[in-house]
Amino acid sequence: MEISQKVKQTLSKIKINKKERILVALSGGKDSTVTAYLLKKFGYNIEGFHIDLGMGEYSEKCLKAIKELCDDLKIKLYIYDIKKEMGSSMCYLRSAIQSRKSLKNCAICGVIKKWIMNKEARRLKVSKIATGHNLDDEAQTFLINIFKGSPELSANSGAISKNMQDKKFVPRIKPLFYVLENDIRKFSKKEKLPVVYESCPCALDSYRIQVREFLNTLSEKNKENIIKNSQKILSKIKKKDTKISYCKICGEPARKNICKKCELMEIKN
Ligand code: SF4
Ligand SMILES: [Zn+2]
């Protein structure tokens, strides 16, 4: 099935309404660019959101590509400049955290970006956040959780977030959930979309890279089967307790007294 068809099918399955405002998390890479491009093409009501991580030349290239995409497709774009808003670039924030905790770059960056996205999406009063996660990303995460012995961590994965039902939590959708990374790359090139193809210079999660390399030795059919069968397996796994409270420091939704971002940054109340 063609990528457009797959995405259409996913969006109708998760019942996304064409009138609701969707904020697309744009990184400058192929996945989020194709997500925005297809949502716009299908007539969804989208706006773009980019977090400028302040990572030198790489961030500058990403911002340029995103501005070009949004100009071409007439997408309203919001830019969150992490240096201005949080006082430092992601590189600095990360090194400060890593001097106290042994954590991978992406683990830190991912938590901070999610925190920003939810807070800003709520401030902008959109009804959903769309991200560019694809089938390969999801298969990697599923296998990593299996290898770690915690398959239940994947229990809430899917094309729409199922984990948090809370007025302060903006639901997330993944229109490319059933699309192979390779097909996204080919599609973005065929459509000549403005994309930064080089990888983030800070993507140093060696374990994920190892799992990705292993997955790339499998056929596309087998990758698709991992996702198809993971959904069957996960529907039988008892979900983690989904009770949500609010962070005592920043007020954002959290599973404990303090949210992951404030815990990482060791912000005291
Ligand atoms: S690859 Fe990792 S470090 Fe780079 S932007 Fe993504 S989460 Fe952040
Ligand atoms: Zn917090």
Side-chain angles (χ1 to χ4, degrees):
M1 199 191 291
E2 257 202 37
I3 165 169
S4 307
Q5 280 309 106
K6 274 192 188 167
V7 172
K8 254 190 201 166
Q9 220 176 53
T10 304
L11 293 166
S12 78
K13 209 152 76 185
I14 57 176
K15 298 189 177 65
I16 304 299
N17 184 308
K18 292 216 167 148
K19 289 207 178 107
E20 57 184 303
R21 282 173 67 215
I22 301 172
L23 196 62
V24 184
L26 291 166
S27 68
K30 62 186 184 327
D31 305 308
S32 56
T33 305
V34 168
T35 303
Y37 176 81
L38 287 175
L39 285 171
K40 185 76 184 179
K41 190 173 155 197
F42 299 152
Y44 287 91
N45 182 10
I46 64 163
E47 289 161 46
F49 185 83
H50 173 62
I51 304 174
D52 183 349
L53 299 170
M55 300 196 297
E57 207 187 311
Y58 177 75
S59 290
E60 284 163 23
K61 277 191 206 165
C62 292
L63 186 56
K64 188 168 169 274
I66 291 166
K67 282 186 175 164
E68 196 183 323
L69 176 85
C70 292
D71 278 354
D72 288 353
L73 301 183
K74 312 224 168 348
I75 298 172
K76 183 166 183 177
L77 172 65
Y78 302 93
I79 298 166
Y80 182 101
D81 183 333
I82 206 164
K83 276 194 201 159
K84 271 194 212 144
E85 304 286 342
M86 299 179 93
S88 330
S89 70
M90 181 57 80
C91 307
Y92 182 84
L93 289 175
R94 225 180 23 230
S95 332
I97 293 167
Q98 283 167 333
S99 68
R100 292 180 269 108
K101 298 177 200 271
S102 145
L103 283 169
K104 306 244 166 61
N105 288 356
C106 295
I108 297 171
C109 183
V111 165
I112 297 176
K113 285 196 300 188
K114 259 194 195 164
W115 181 89
I116 296 170
M117 270 311 296
N118 191 62
K119 200 165 172 309
E120 292 300 299
R122 204 176 57 242
R123 186 179 67 77
L124 294 168
K125 298 188 171 61
V126 297
S127 84
K128 303 264 182 329
I129 294 168
T131 64
H133 292 89
N134 61 43
L135 187 145
D136 291 61
D137 299 325
E138 298 299 324
Q140 282 159 28
T141 306
F142 176 68
L143 287 189
I144 289 171
N145 288 335
I146 294 266
F147 295 153
K148 280 198 299 200
S150 313
E152 73 282 358
L153 291 177
S154 288
N156 294 315
S157 82
I160 185 158
S161 52
K162 308 171 200 149
N163 50 345
M164 290 198 194
Q165 305 279 339
D166 184 88
K167 61 178 187 322
K168 285 186 114 181
F169 178 73
V170 184
R172 287 191 285 263
I173 61 169
K174 298 172 181 170
L176 303 179
F177 190 85
Y178 296 101
V179 186
L180 288 156
E181 182 174 19
N182 206 18
D183 291 343
I184 300 169
R185 185 178 294 105
K186 281 191 217 151
F187 181 84
S188 64
K189 290 198 168 156
K190 187 173 107 244
E191 297 296 323
K192 299 193 173 53
L193 298 177
V195 164
V196 176
Y197 286 99
E198 68 195 75
S199 314
C200 165
C202 302
L204 299 173
D205 183 342
S206 54
Y207 192 47
R208 187 170 278 272
I209 292 170
Q210 232 180 320
V211 175
R212 185 194 300 147
E213 279 169 6
F214 161 68
L215 274 169
N216 285 342
T217 64
L218 305 181
S219 68
E220 295 192 335
K221 188 81 212 137
N222 275 333
K223 280 193 206 172
E224 286 170 340
N225 281 341
I226 291 178
I227 285 300
K228 208 160 76 193
N229 295 326
S230 73
Q231 297 293 302
K232 281 193 218 156
I233 297 166
L234 293 170
S235 65
K236 297 194 176 75
I237 289 180
K238 193 175 170 297
K239 296 201 168 95
K240 290 212 111 187
D241 184 11
T242 50
K243 202 173 161 296
I244 299 300
S245 54
Y246 300 116
C247 173
K248 289 211 159 52
I249 298 167
C250 68
E252 284 298 296
R255 293 186 192 282
K256 300 194 229 157
N257 283 343
I258 309 236
C259 76
K260 280 191 193 165
K261 174 252 175 195
C262 292
E263 197 180 293
L264 274 184
M265 296 179 77
E266 289 190 359
I267 302 169
K268 307 266 185 292
N269 59 352

